[in-house]
Amino acid sequence: MPDHVFQQMNVEDLALQRVQDEITANQILNSSTELPRWSELRPALSPGDRLHIRVHNGDDFSGIYEVDIDGAVNIPYLPSQHVAGHDVSYAETLIATALVESGQFRPSRVWVSVRVQQWASIQVNVGGAVFNSGIVTINVRDAEERTQKSTQYSGDFPPERLLPAALRSAGGVRPDAAIDTITLIRNGVSRIVDLSGVTDGRPIPAIPLMTGDTIVVPTSGKMDRKLLVPSIITAPGIRVFLSNLTVPSRSNATSAIGKESTSLPYGSRLITAMTAANCFGGTVSTNAARYGVLVRKNPLNGKQEVETRSIKELLMNPDNDDINVFLMPNDSVGCYDSGVTNIREIANTIFDIIVPFSLF
């Protein structure tokens, strides 16, 4: 046992100290280590989290530690301490207990402080009514930011490690998502989370995530227009594929279809995509009867669907959700010419074939 732990005592003081040590040791060993794992105020630790651990009068044990891949911190002269899935209060109790059990400190003389210096990036599973189900990585930090944090004593606020960040990284929730009954699963324990406040300005729980969490977003089976706007749980923008390779433009380049026109705000409608593809305007007699084709994957049944809309139909029903439909990520929109233009193009083609032969 280190010399700094002991003090000179007489026999009576030593006996009294031993009794107090036994009481304190029992309090440490029997204290509840199953702290709330879902607490918004006490986020759970994950592998990669960087901790500042300080042991009073124990410089050999104090320092900056990173939670290992197995979820443990490895402090000199102590067994590995598994802290992943628990908060810093649990880590403090765990380390203090290990110091006492290893004979390094008396129970009444051990004080341990654990503070998070930097929250790591984590991987979580997201499924259900989101656009891109699968494993997502959130709270990614670049090398420069990690280096800057290394000189900081403690404290780190990671908004990108909260539940909404995981939903955004999965492409955002679909308009049919039941956001009032989202299931969050950690270590086999489930919790139902209500994020419906996102659509009407009410507070929502800011739940920090940890590596291995699973998020399941159920479907309501119907579209909710409140979820068709950019928010902290929906995509800020979507990418659609546009084509306008007919008259009046014979290439996407001359139609001014670039990455800016194919990246549209979430909540845009079909009429917006056709405008971005330059399907509108021009000569009324030849272009007013043009039409567009929408190809998309139905999120509810996973099948490809094709819908046709004329420009006139869209302009006369801009607020009709069944006609001027809302666009989803990776929708494809193509523009076709009117009958007049088609006849003219057929005539031009025949003319181009006949005239060369007439010259012989």
Side-chain angles (χ1 to χ4, degrees):
M1 190 176 296
D3 294 337
H4 61 255
V5 175
F6 294 105
Q7 295 180 350
Q8 297 296 327
M9 303 179 181
N10 57 37
V11 177
E12 292 182 357
D13 290 340
L14 183 58
L16 178 60
Q17 182 65 52
R18 286 176 177 173
V19 173
Q20 292 175 341
D21 286 351
E22 290 179 0
I23 294 174
T24 307
N26 289 332
Q27 290 175 343
I28 293 177
L29 294 174
N30 296 327
S31 62
S32 174
T33 57
E34 291 299 323
L35 297 174
R37 297 185 178 185
W38 301 112
S39 173
E40 287 80 6
L41 301 178
R42 296 182 176 181
L45 298 172
S46 281
D49 290 342
R50 190 172 294 172
L51 307 178
H52 185 282
I53 300 176
R54 183 176 181 181
V55 179
H56 183 60
N57 289 330
D59 293 340
D60 291 341
F61 309 103
S62 301
I64 304 296
Y65 296 89
E66 193 165 287
V67 182
D68 211 340
I69 192 171
D70 61 354
V73 290
N74 297 289
I75 302 173
Y77 316 117
L78 295 178
S80 295
Q81 305 299 308
H82 193 277
V83 297
H86 301 277
D87 62 11
V88 293
S89 297
Y90 174 89
E92 290 175 345
T93 302
L94 191 67
I95 295 170
T97 302
L99 289 168
V100 172
E101 290 182 337
S102 63
Q104 305 292 337
F105 285 84
R106 293 182 185 274
S108 62
R109 300 290 181 179
V110 60
W111 290 280
V112 178
S113 171
V114 178
R115 297 291 181 267
V116 176
Q117 185 189 53
Q118 186 177 42
W119 297 100
S121 60
I122 60 174
Q123 289 187 327
V124 297
N125 306 285
V126 185
V130 293
F131 285 110
N132 299 310
S133 298
I135 299 176
V136 300
T137 302
I138 59 176
N139 197 44
V140 177
R141 303 289 183 85
D142 57 35
E144 182 180 357
E145 186 177 6
R146 287 181 62 85
T147 301
Q148 291 175 347
K149 283 287 185 180
S150 64
T151 61
Q152 184 173 304
Y153 181 79
S154 67
D156 185 29
F157 175 66
E160 292 304 308
R161 193 161 145 167
L162 304 180
L163 176 58
L167 297 176
R168 291 196 304 273
S169 295
V173 299
R174 301 194 313 240
D176 61 299
I179 61 173
D180 57 339
T181 55
I182 296 175
T183 301
L184 183 54
I185 305 171
R186 177 176 299 169
N187 296 328
V189 180
S190 300
R191 172 182 175 180
I192 301 300
V193 182
D194 182 0
L195 296 184
S196 58
V198 168
T199 61
D200 54 21
R202 290 184 290 108
I204 62 172
I207 300 177
L209 302 178
M210 65 168 287
T211 291
D213 282 351
T214 297
I215 304 163
V216 180
V217 183
T219 178
S220 64
K222 58 183 179 180
M223 186 182 72
D224 184 355
R225 294 188 61 175
K226 293 181 179 179
L227 295 177
L228 285 164
V229 296
S231 72
I232 62 172
I233 62 172
T234 59
I238 58 175
R239 182 181 181 183
V240 295
F241 298 91
L242 305 179
S243 177
N244 184 11
L245 300 182
T246 53
V247 176
S249 299
R250 297 182 180 274
S251 70
N252 280 335
T254 55
S255 294
I257 298 178
K259 63 179 183 179
E260 290 78 13
S261 60
T262 59
S263 297
L264 303 175
Y266 184 59
S268 298
R269 293 175 180 258
L270 177 58
I271 197 171
T272 304
M274 293 184 66
T275 301
N278 286 328
C279 298
F280 291 163
T283 306
V284 176
S285 59
T286 59
N287 293 342
R290 299 187 74 192
Y291 66 94
V293 175
L294 171 66
V295 182
R296 66 171 11 159
K297 183 178 180 180
N298 189 315
L300 297 179
N301 56 31
K303 296 182 178 180
Q304 293 287 340
E305 297 180 349
V306 179
E307 301 180 23
T308 302
R309 299 286 187 274
S310 70
I311 290 178
K312 181 178 180 181
E313 185 180 23
L314 288 171
L315 294 178
M316 293 183 64
N317 302 277
D319 296 321
N320 190 315
D321 295 346
D322 295 327
I323 297 176
N324 190 20
V325 298
F326 288 94
L327 296 173
M328 297 292 113
N330 299 320
D331 281 353
S332 298
V333 178
C335 297
Y336 288 88
D337 287 313
S338 65
V340 173
T341 304
N342 290 334
I343 294 174
R344 184 182 63 189
E345 284 298 296
I346 293 173
N348 289 337
T349 301
I350 295 174
F351 180 79
D352 291 339
I353 295 174
I354 294 176
V355 168
F357 285 100
S358 64
L359 298 177
F360 293 98

